[in-house]
């Protein structure tokens, strides 16, 4: 539980600074420290186990089927990292309390910081690789927030975006690598993966896994050629840089190298890829660092170079080199964090980070200067400081390599060169900033020492540098031993952590580096001149350019497919449907199946011909809209007759009544729409559409024919057998609607009601220009309402209502039912609107159609729910036969109540739609016109 | 009969699709209506073509497949709702943009 708590605490704790942010800076900082302090205490309780060399694993099953478990692991390596993350984190919080200005929202800053801390702890304490991936991505995201904290600055935004793009991209590769690793081993738990090194290395996919994992590592740890994001991340507030670039973020990459060392190392591929990358990064970083005028820029490139060193050490692939790498991780974290903080203090007190302007600060801030000088000396690898120890180990290891054959001398040479540059840039950090004349034109003058407590974190870190450097055996050795043995996954090699190893080759390399470095620094003017003349290559511009191009291309591609033209979309969709369906149809050897065709009778033939001609005419005469509409109604009528012809009386009735309503609707719409269509499509386009339409017709026709001439299997017998005994009705179609598949019908009427409400919303506030004349320029007839029509509709109404009641009641046993009855009622009422006008009808029939449709859906739903009361599932129907005087034997079923709901919804929705559109034409202007 | 039925559906689909690809809202809605006729007929045919045997118990010796019929019945009503919605959308576009082009473009 404790391990999960250590990881979770910062996440929980990130609410504290947000809550206290407004109530004073000290309170906010103290509240923020709570989580890491408790975390450190919890970590401390595991000291005995960890230093006894045990691995603590705490696990809870989560998504076991995909191999993802909430499992955490604490061993020497994880312990060391957790200690660094929380320890340096605490110091950074204290430092940031004084660094941030009053205008910076402090609560937000600390919340981001804790978010990041929790993510880092998750990475180093995860036992499950998938869980680690989750936290790995979280570090990318939360570092994005931290780097972009000063979101008003364009540099911060761009830097943050670049960091996210590079590390996020690497994370994607790493995820691939981790998934493959889990597939190979059969488990994502580190305990299983780390002992399966031999299986992994022997596997055919090992090179792929290695490349993917290394991509993740190299992007995160800013290795060449992915190093460019790190200097731009310097746009972050300095506490963030101190944290991200010393103990955390960039160390996540090398942490993973250490973590997976037993599983992936010990092959030639590992050696070449890791060591060569490390070597290039080491040199590029160290060399570029010397030429930076920005204080933080220098530290940034130095960080890149030190990360290269650690990577190179892991790449050298000897057990001792891995120990040196772990040692250097600790040392680099301490001196680099303190240097960043010192740089932040200088920036804070002088208002600039340009080393060409900051000179001779010794006189103004001797205390800070002393601290910074000691830390810089540690960075340079001066004896008696911690940096010296790991550097000596590094030099020793470079001399042990023979993998490059005759070119093995390259590695010690590169190492010495690195030493030269690191001495030179460290010297620049000391000499250029604190001595070398007087300050030039500082924004804040004179500079002075920072607040007392702002220096405390630096003091602590510098003291650690000194202590480790002087007395390694008493301070760091046991921690290093457990961390290194956890990395190696076994016994430690022999090594000694003493300052004096005798006069040997590594020491000579150190002395050479020191001397040449000093000479290099004092000849810097010529070197700077040479560097200035180099072509200017700003990674930010290159990156932004690439991104812009990519976005442009994506936009072009999107525009190609999605040009906001319905015609284009329709064409693509139809084309896709044709390809997908046509592919299978074409592969049929014969379209006609084995079932014999039934004979054609004369009347059906005539009907089909009328239908075909009318359909064709609708398409051909589509420019003359009224004619097309008349043709459409012919088609609808023939379809209704077709339903009747092929034993579907219910459908015929429904189609007929829907047809009436639809055509009225079209007529209403046509009143407002242009009556004639201009010819705008080009001939080629019409031809293309014709081809497409022809193919679609061929496809549907062919498919229908192919299906109809093949035998089929149906579940109809179930419905036919149970309709009467189970549903109490002989009209099987209606019983299916209100009983067997009542839930579907429930959905359908709800959709109908929703459509009606949506149409009401669309019509609401709609203003349409009412045409004065028809398309031939004739004015509207001014006659009053036709007398016959008015009287006839009024007579028809009660008759039609009677019919609809009849249809409704017989629906359960004979063709009819709620749908059809509803439509008939709607048509009868619409006739009143047509005959007598909207005003007249509304005065006499003041029914609110919204309510009607809503009540309908409610009745249907409540009927369904009613069956719960009797302990049956939703929409179970009950029925019985009752004897009424005069009427006789009558069947009553709850399904009828449901059908009543359907009926009311259909009436309500249909009238809601039609009356609303009709109202448009009944507006004042039109009435005056008419 | 099956061939005739398939042919009718083909013509119906062809007319519907052609209209669907036109540039004016009215034609598109008419095309949509034609296409939904075709779809409903197609669905009905999945229960095969039967003559004189409605799925009403006691009215015939054999019965047509009632399931596609039930599906088509709701489809007809939903199809009406869809047509109405498309039409009103067209009206709204006409009102807002003063154009009945499907892309909302003016005539010029």
């Amino acid at each position: 539980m404790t391990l999960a708590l250590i990881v979770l605490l910062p996440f929980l704790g990130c609410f504290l600074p947000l809550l206290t942010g407004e109530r004073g800076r000290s309170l906010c900082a103290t509240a923020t420290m709570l989580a890491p302090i408790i975390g450190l205490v919890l970590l401390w309780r595991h000291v005995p186990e960890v230093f006894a060399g045990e691995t603590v694993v705490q696990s809870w099953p989560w998504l076991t089927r995909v191999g993802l478990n909430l499992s955490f692991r604490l061993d020497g390596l994880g312990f060391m990292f957790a200690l660094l993350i929380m320890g340096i984190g605490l110091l950074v919080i204290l430092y940031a309390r004084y660094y941030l200005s009053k205008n910076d929202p402090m609560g937000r800053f600390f919340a981001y910081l804790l978010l990041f801390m929790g993510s880092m702890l998750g990475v180093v304490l995860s036992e499950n690789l998938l869980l680690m991936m989750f936290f790995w991505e979280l570090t990318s995201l939360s570092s994005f927030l931290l780097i972009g904290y000063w979101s008003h600055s364009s540099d911060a935004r761009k830097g943050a975006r670049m960091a996210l793009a590079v590390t996020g991209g690497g994370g994607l590769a790493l995820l691939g690598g981790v998934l493959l690793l889990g597939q190979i081993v059969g488990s994502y738990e580190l305990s299983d993966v780390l002992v399966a090194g031999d299986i992994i290395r022997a596997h055919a996919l090992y090179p792929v896994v290695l490349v993917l994992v290394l991509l993740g590592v190299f992007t995160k740890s800013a290795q060449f050629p992915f190093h460019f994001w790190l200097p731009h991340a310097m746009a972050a507030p300095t506490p963030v840089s101190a944290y991200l670039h010393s103990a955390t973020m960039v160390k996540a990459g090398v942490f993973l190298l250490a973590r997976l060392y037993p599983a992936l190392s010990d092959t030639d591929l590992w050696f070449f890829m890791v060591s060569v990358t490390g070597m290039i990064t080491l040199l590029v970083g160290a060399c570029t660092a010397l030429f930076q005028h920005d204080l933080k820029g220098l530290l940034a490139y130095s960080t890149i170079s030190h990360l290269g060193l650690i990577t190179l050490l892991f790449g050298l692939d000897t057990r001792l080199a891995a120990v040196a790498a772990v040692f250097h991780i600790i040392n680099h974290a301490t001196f680099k964090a303190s240097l960043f903080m010192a740089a932040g203090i200088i920036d804070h007190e002088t208002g600039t980070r340009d080393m060409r302007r900051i000179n001779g600060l010794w006189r103004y801030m001797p205390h800070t200067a002393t601290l910074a000088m000691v830390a810089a000396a540690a960075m340079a690898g001066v004896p008696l400081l911690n940096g010296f120890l790991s550097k000596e180990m590094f030099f020793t290891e470079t001399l042990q390599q023979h993998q490059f054959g005759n070119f093995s001398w390259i590695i010690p040479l590169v190492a010495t060169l690195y030493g030269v540059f690191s001495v030179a840039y460290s010297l620049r950090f000391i000499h250029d900033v604190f001595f070398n004349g007087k300050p030039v034109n500082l924004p804040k003058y004179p500079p002075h020492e920072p607040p007392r407590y702002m220096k405390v974190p630096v003091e602590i870190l510098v003291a650690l540098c000194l202590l480790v450097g002087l007395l390694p055996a008493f301070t760091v050795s046991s921690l290093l031993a457990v961390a290194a043995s956890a990395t190696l996954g076994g016994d430690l090699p022999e090594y000694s952590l003493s300052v004096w190893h005798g006069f040997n080759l590594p020491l000579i390399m150190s002395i050479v580096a020191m001397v040449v470095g000093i000479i290099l620094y004092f000849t810097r003017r010529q070197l700077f001149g040479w560097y200035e003349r180099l072509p200017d290559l700003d990674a930010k511009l290159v990156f932004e350019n690439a991104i812009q191009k990519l976005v442009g291309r994506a936009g072009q591609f999107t525009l190609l497919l999605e040009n906001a033209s319905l015609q284009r979309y329709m064409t693509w969709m139809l084309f896709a449907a044709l390809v997908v369906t046509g592919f299978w149809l074409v592969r049929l050897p014969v379209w006609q199946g084995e079932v014999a065709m039934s004979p054609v009778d004369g009347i059906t033939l005539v009907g089909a011909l009328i239908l075909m001609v009318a359909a064709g005419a609708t398409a051909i005469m589509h420019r003359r809209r009224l004619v097309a509409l008349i043709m459409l109604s012919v088609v609808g009528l023939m379809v209704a007759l077709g339903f009747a012809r092929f034993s579907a009386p219910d459908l015929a009735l429904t189609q007929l009544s829907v047809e009436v309503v639809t055509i009225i609707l079209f007529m209403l719409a046509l009143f407002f729409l242009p009556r004639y269509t201009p010819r705008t499509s080009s001939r080629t386009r019409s031809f293309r559409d014709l081809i497409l339409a022809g193919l679609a017709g061929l496809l549907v026709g062919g498919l229908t024919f192919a299906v109809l001439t093949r035998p089929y299997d149906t579940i109809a017998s179930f419905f036919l057998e149970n309709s009467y005994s189970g549903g109490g009705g002989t009209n099987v179609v209606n019983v299916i609607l209100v009983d067997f598949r009542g839930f579907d019908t429930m959905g359908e009427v709800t959709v109908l009601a929703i459509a009606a409400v949506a149409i009401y919303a669309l019509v609401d506030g709609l203003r349409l220009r009412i045409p004065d004349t028809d398309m031939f320029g004739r004015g509207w007839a001014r006659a009053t309402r036709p007398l016959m029509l008015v009287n006839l509709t009024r007579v028809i109404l009660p008759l039609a209502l009677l019919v609809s009641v009849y249809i409704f009641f017989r629906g359960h046993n004979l063709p009819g039912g709620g749908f059809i009855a509803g439509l008939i009622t709607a048509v009868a009422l619409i006739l009143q609107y047509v005959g007598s006008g909207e005003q007249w009808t509304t005065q006499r029939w003041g029914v609110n159609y919204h309510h009607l449709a809503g009540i309908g859906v409610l009745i249907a739903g409540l009927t369904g729910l009613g069956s719960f009361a009797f302990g049956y599932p939703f929409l179970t129907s009950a029925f019985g036969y009752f004897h009424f005087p005069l009427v006789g034997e009558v069947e009553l079923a709850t399904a009828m109540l449901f059908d009543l709901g359907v009926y009311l919804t259909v009436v309500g929705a249909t009238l809601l739609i039609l009356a609303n559109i009709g109202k448009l034409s009944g507006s004042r202007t039109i009435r005056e016109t008419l | 009969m099956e061939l005739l039925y398939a042919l009718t559906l083909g013509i119906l689909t062809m007319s519907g699709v052609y209209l669907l690809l036109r540039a004016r809202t009215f034609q598109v809605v008419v095309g949509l209506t034609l296409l939904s006729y075709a779809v409903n007929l197609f669905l009905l045919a999945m229960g095969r073509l039967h003559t004189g045997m409605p799925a009403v118990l006691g009215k015939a010796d054999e019965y047509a497949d009632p399931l596609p019929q039930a599906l088509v019945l709701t489809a007809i009503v939903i199809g009406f709702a869809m047509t109405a919605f498309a039409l009103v959308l067209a009206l709204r576009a006409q009102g807002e943009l003063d154009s009945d082009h499907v892309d909302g473009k003016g005539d010029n």
Side-chain angles (χ1 to χ4, degrees):
Chain A
M1 190 65 204
T2 43
L3 294 185
L5 210 57
I6 293 175
V7 175
L8 274 179
L9 270 173
F11 289 109
L12 297 174
C14 71
F15 292 101
L16 285 178
L18 287 176
L19 292 173
T20 54
E22 301 291 311
R23 308 190 179 183
R25 299 151 69 79
S26 295
L27 179 70
C28 184
T30 315
T32 312
M33 286 182 183
L34 221 55
I37 287 175
I38 300 174
L40 278 175
V41 171
L42 290 175
L43 192 66
W44 208 251
R45 291 176 42 182
H46 286 292
V47 163
E49 294 143 287
V50 171
F51 280 81
E54 289 171 28
T55 301
V56 186
V57 173
Q58 296 174 350
S59 182
W60 294 270
W62 188 12
L63 303 173
T64 42
R65 213 180 273 180
V66 290
L68 174 57
N69 293 309
L70 274 177
S71 49
F72 297 93
R73 166 198 186 91
L74 184 71
D75 58 5
L77 187 68
F79 180 85
M80 180 192 93
F81 264 96
L83 195 64
L84 285 176
I85 291 164
M86 288 190 283
I88 296 189
L90 273 176
L91 299 178
V92 166
I93 293 168
L94 178 62
Y95 176 80
R97 146 81 184 79
Y98 294 96
Y99 180 86
L100 290 180
S101 80
K102 289 202 165 48
N103 301 327
D104 299 323
M106 188 177 262
R108 194 154 60 89
F109 179 84
F110 282 136
Y112 290 165
L113 197 77
L114 283 180
L115 211 59
F116 179 75
M117 185 186 285
S119 321
M120 270 312 291
L121 286 170
V123 170
V124 301
L125 293 181
S126 285
E127 152 82 356
N128 188 288
L129 278 173
L130 291 177
L131 190 66
M132 189 213 70
M133 261 326 290
F134 171 74
F135 287 114
W136 180 280
E137 298 293 352
L138 263 184
T139 60
S140 294
L141 286 176
S142 49
S143 67
F144 169 80
L145 293 173
L146 280 172
I147 297 170
Y149 174 69
W150 281 326
S151 52
H152 50 82
S153 135
S154 148
D155 277 350
R157 291 197 304 268
K158 282 182 183 152
R161 204 156 58 208
M162 200 191 280
L164 183 67
V166 176
T167 56
L172 199 62
L174 178 61
L175 179 62
V178 162
L179 289 176
L180 282 179
L181 210 54
Q183 295 293 320
I184 293 172
V185 179
S187 159
Y188 290 103
E189 306 293 314
L190 271 173
S191 309
D192 301 327
V193 173
L194 294 185
V195 295
D198 292 330
I199 303 171
I200 298 167
R201 281 185 287 268
H203 200 274
L205 283 174
Y206 169 74
V208 183
V209 174
L210 186 63
V211 167
L212 288 175
V213 169
L214 287 183
L215 270 175
V217 168
F218 291 166
T219 47
K220 200 80 163 180
S221 279
Q223 297 295 299
F224 184 86
F226 307 110
H227 63 288
F228 58 88
W229 69 265
L230 197 145
H232 290 286
M234 291 298 140
T238 305
V240 173
S241 311
Y243 197 39
L244 258 59
H245 306 314
S246 63
T248 56
M249 185 72 173
V250 294
K251 289 284 168 64
V254 287
F255 165 79
L256 200 65
L257 274 187
R259 183 84 286 176
L260 295 178
Y261 189 78
L264 293 177
S265 70
D266 206 16
T267 60
D268 283 349
L269 196 63
W270 166 280
F271 171 79
F272 283 110
M273 286 180 57
V274 180
S275 67
V276 171
T277 309
M279 222 149 46
I280 297 173
T281 314
L282 175 79
L283 262 190
V284 168
C287 182
T288 318
L290 179 60
F291 298 106
Q292 300 301 309
H293 297 305
D294 179 5
L295 211 52
K296 276 176 81 178
L298 185 152
L299 293 177
Y301 279 101
S302 137
T303 303
I304 292 174
S305 145
H306 281 276
L307 289 166
L309 190 156
I310 297 166
T311 308
L312 173 58
L313 275 171
F314 278 119
L316 290 178
D317 215 0
T318 62
R319 301 178 79 75
L320 212 50
V323 177
V326 174
F327 192 23
H328 200 69
I329 290 175
I330 306 176
N331 293 338
H332 178 251
T334 46
F335 68 68
K336 194 48 69 65
S338 58
L339 279 172
F340 266 115
M341 288 181 185
I345 290 176
I346 294 166
D347 181 14
H348 199 251
E349 300 305 326
T350 63
T352 176
R353 301 193 315 232
D354 191 336
M355 277 185 281
R356 285 165 299 191
R357 292 160 78 184
I358 311 168
N359 301 51
L361 287 190
W362 172 261
R363 246 180 304 157
Y364 303 99
M365 38 170 79
H367 191 157
T368 310
T370 315
L371 294 173
M373 278 150 61
V374 175
M379 177 163 75
V382 172
L384 301 182
L385 291 163
N386 59 356
F388 174 73
L389 297 175
S390 44
K391 191 188 67 176
E392 287 295 286
M393 285 174 91
F394 165 56
F395 282 175
T396 312
E397 283 314 302
T398 58
L399 293 167
Q400 313 294 325
Q401 277 306 322
H402 306 289
Q403 288 266 26
F404 282 134
N406 286 337
F407 291 93
S408 292
W409 50 268
I410 283 184
I411 306 178
L413 181 74
V414 166
T416 316
L417 264 177
Y418 148 79
V420 169
F421 279 113
S422 71
V423 167
Y425 68 69
S426 303
L427 193 57
R428 183 166 184 219
F429 192 92
I430 297 171
H431 183 259
D432 222 357
V433 172
F434 297 109
F435 305 100
N436 199 22
K438 287 182 175 172
V440 185
N441 197 14
L442 288 184
K444 289 183 188 169
Y445 189 84
H448 50 75
E449 288 282 350
R452 179 71 200 89
Y453 287 101
M454 196 169 177
K455 280 181 295 189
V456 169
V458 193
E459 283 164 357
I460 294 174
L461 289 168
V462 168
L464 281 174
C465 291
L466 270 169
L467 277 175
V468 171
L470 287 170
L471 305 165
F474 296 102
T475 48
V476 80
S477 68
S478 53
L479 179 65
L480 175 61
V482 289
S485 73
T487 306
L488 291 170
D491 296 329
L492 281 177
E494 282 289 318
Y495 65 92
S496 96
L497 281 184
S498 53
V499 181
W500 179 252
H501 282 117
F503 195 76
N504 52 13
L505 202 51
L507 191 62
I508 296 174
M509 285 163 73
S510 282
I511 294 169
V512 171
M514 205 67 77
V515 174
V516 181
I518 293 170
I519 298 171
L520 194 66
Y521 172 68
F522 283 102
T523 57
R524 65 186 186 282
R525 301 223 179 279
Q526 291 88 325
L527 283 173
F528 284 176
W530 165 79
Y531 187 78
E532 295 287 312
R533 283 193 296 280
L534 283 182
D536 194 24
L537 192 71
D538 190 347
K540 187 165 62 184
L541 290 181
V542 176
F543 181 80
E544 284 290 318
N545 246 333
I547 293 287
Q548 293 294 341
K549 268 204 190 114
L550 196 68
V551 170
R553 284 282 151 77
Q556 276 174 11
F557 184 70
T558 311
L559 215 62
L560 189 76
L561 290 177
E562 195 185 323
N563 63 345
S565 161
L566 184 74
Q567 283 176 291
R568 175 76 65 93
Y569 302 162
M570 280 291 183
T571 314
W572 278 116
M573 267 162 63
L574 282 166
F575 185 72
L578 274 177
V579 169
V580 171
T581 332
F583 177 73
W584 297 103
L585 201 63
V586 168
R587 281 158 59 112
L588 276 182
V590 279
W591 282 13
Q592 185 172 4
E594 55 273 33
V595 176
M597 286 193 277
S598 45
V600 180
D601 59 287
I603 299 175
T604 315
L605 180 65
V606 172
L609 283 176
I610 295 176
L611 202 158
M612 281 188 264
V613 168
T618 315
I620 293 165
M621 297 201 256
H622 70 89
R623 284 206 175 72
R624 296 165 67 187
R625 294 183 173 185
L626 192 59
V627 179
L629 190 54
I630 293 167
M631 288 299 143
L632 181 71
S633 67
V634 173
V635 176
L637 203 63
M638 295 320 292
V639 170
L641 289 176
F643 285 140
R645 165 69 183 80
F646 294 110
S647 314
D650 283 280
L651 296 191
L653 283 172
T654 316
Q655 178 67 48
L656 200 62
S657 33
V658 162
E659 194 54 33
V660 174
V661 185
T662 310
I663 295 300
I664 293 174
L665 197 65
F666 266 108
M667 299 274 280
L668 280 171
L670 204 52
F671 179 71
F672 296 102
L673 291 171
R675 242 128 301 188
Y676 189 77
T677 310
R679 181 186 289 274
T680 45
S681 302
S682 63
R683 269 185 186 284
T684 34
R685 167 167 245 164
S686 302
F687 188 66
R688 186 200 69 191
D689 292 349
L690 198 64
I691 297 285
L692 205 57
L695 285 174
L698 191 67
L699 183 81
V700 171
L703 193 63
T704 315
F705 185 62
V707 172
L708 286 185
T709 52
R710 280 173 170 77
Y712 90 123
D713 203 13
T714 174
I715 54 170
S717 55
F718 170 82
F719 298 111
L720 292 167
E721 279 159 22
N722 291 295
S723 174
Y724 190 71
S725 53
T730 52
N731 181 7
V732 188
V733 176
N734 184 268
V735 175
I736 290 176
L737 282 175
V738 297
D739 194 329
F740 291 125
R741 304 203 57 84
F743 206 24
D744 282 1
T745 312
M746 173 86 212
E748 314 265 5
V749 292
T750 313
V751 171
L752 190 65
I754 291 172
V757 172
I759 287 168
Y760 175 76
L762 272 177
V763 170
D764 190 40
L766 175 61
R767 286 186 177 280
L768 283 165
R769 201 156 46 100
I770 290 156
D772 301 323
T773 59
D774 70 358
M775 61 174 170
F776 302 112
R778 292 177 298 217
W780 298 103
R782 293 186 169 275
T784 50
R785 297 183 185 284
L787 184 70
M788 280 198 29
L789 182 70
V790 174
N791 286 310
L792 213 56
T793 51
R794 288 180 197 173
V795 176
I796 281 178
L797 179 66
L799 293 174
L801 289 178
L802 195 66
V803 169
S804 73
V805 171
Y806 170 66
I807 291 277
F808 176 81
F809 277 109
R810 73 171 216 164
H812 215 46
N813 293 313
L814 288 166
F819 273 115
I820 301 162
L823 286 163
I824 293 174
T825 308
V827 171
L829 286 168
I830 287 162
L831 276 178
Q832 307 311 306
Y833 285 92
V834 174
S836 310
E838 192 256 337
Q839 216 176 10
W840 186 90
T841 317
T842 318
Q843 275 169 5
R844 283 156 186 79
W845 166 251
V847 173
N848 184 326
Y849 298 127
H850 296 88
H851 293 175
L852 204 59
I855 289 168
V857 176
L858 265 181
I859 290 179
L862 286 175
T863 313
L865 288 176
S867 44
F868 281 137
F870 301 95
Y872 289 105
F874 189 60
L875 275 171
T876 312
S877 74
F879 60 92
Y881 297 89
F882 303 91
H883 187 84
F884 289 98
L886 283 177
V887 185
E889 186 90 352
V890 167
E891 182 206 354
L892 286 179
T894 56
M896 257 174 196
L897 205 56
F898 181 76
D899 221 9
L900 179 68
V902 173
Y903 169 83
L904 289 176
T905 314
V906 171
V907 173
T910 312
L911 285 171
L912 188 60
I913 293 168
L914 281 166
N916 269 297
I917 304 176
K919 221 184 273 177
L920 284 173
S921 59
S923 62
R924 260 176 73 88
T925 19
I926 188 83
R927 212 168 299 127
E928 282 161 12
T929 324
L930 283 176
Chain B
M1 185 70 88
E2 278 75 10
L3 188 62
L4 184 68
Y5 196 89
L7 191 66
T8 316
L9 279 198
I11 299 281
L12 208 49
T13 311
M14 185 175 166
S15 311
V17 168
Y18 182 75
L19 286 178
L20 210 57
L21 290 167
R22 295 304 92 209
R24 303 288 155 173
T25 48
F26 184 79
Q27 273 83 346
V28 172
V29 184
V30 170
L32 206 59
T33 314
L34 281 180
L35 209 54
S36 57
Y37 290 152
V39 169
N40 289 341
L41 285 173
F42 179 80
L43 282 179
L44 177 77
M46 290 304 102
R48 298 303 183 273
L49 305 177
H50 301 281
T51 308
M53 36 170 122
V56 178
L57 299 180
K59 294 280 166 187
D61 301 331
E62 278 184 285
Y63 305 109
D65 194 338
L67 192 59
Q69 294 194 17
L71 296 179
V72 171
L73 201 150
T74 46
I76 293 172
V77 180
I78 292 290
F80 162 67
M82 181 185 67
T83 308
F85 189 81
L87 262 183
V88 172
L89 208 58
L91 282 182
R92 183 88 202 191
Q94 171 79 23
E96 301 282 329
L97 307 164
D98 205 23
S99 155
D100 70 334
H101 195 283
V102 284
D103 302 341
K105 292 189 288 199
D107 284 336
N108 308 315

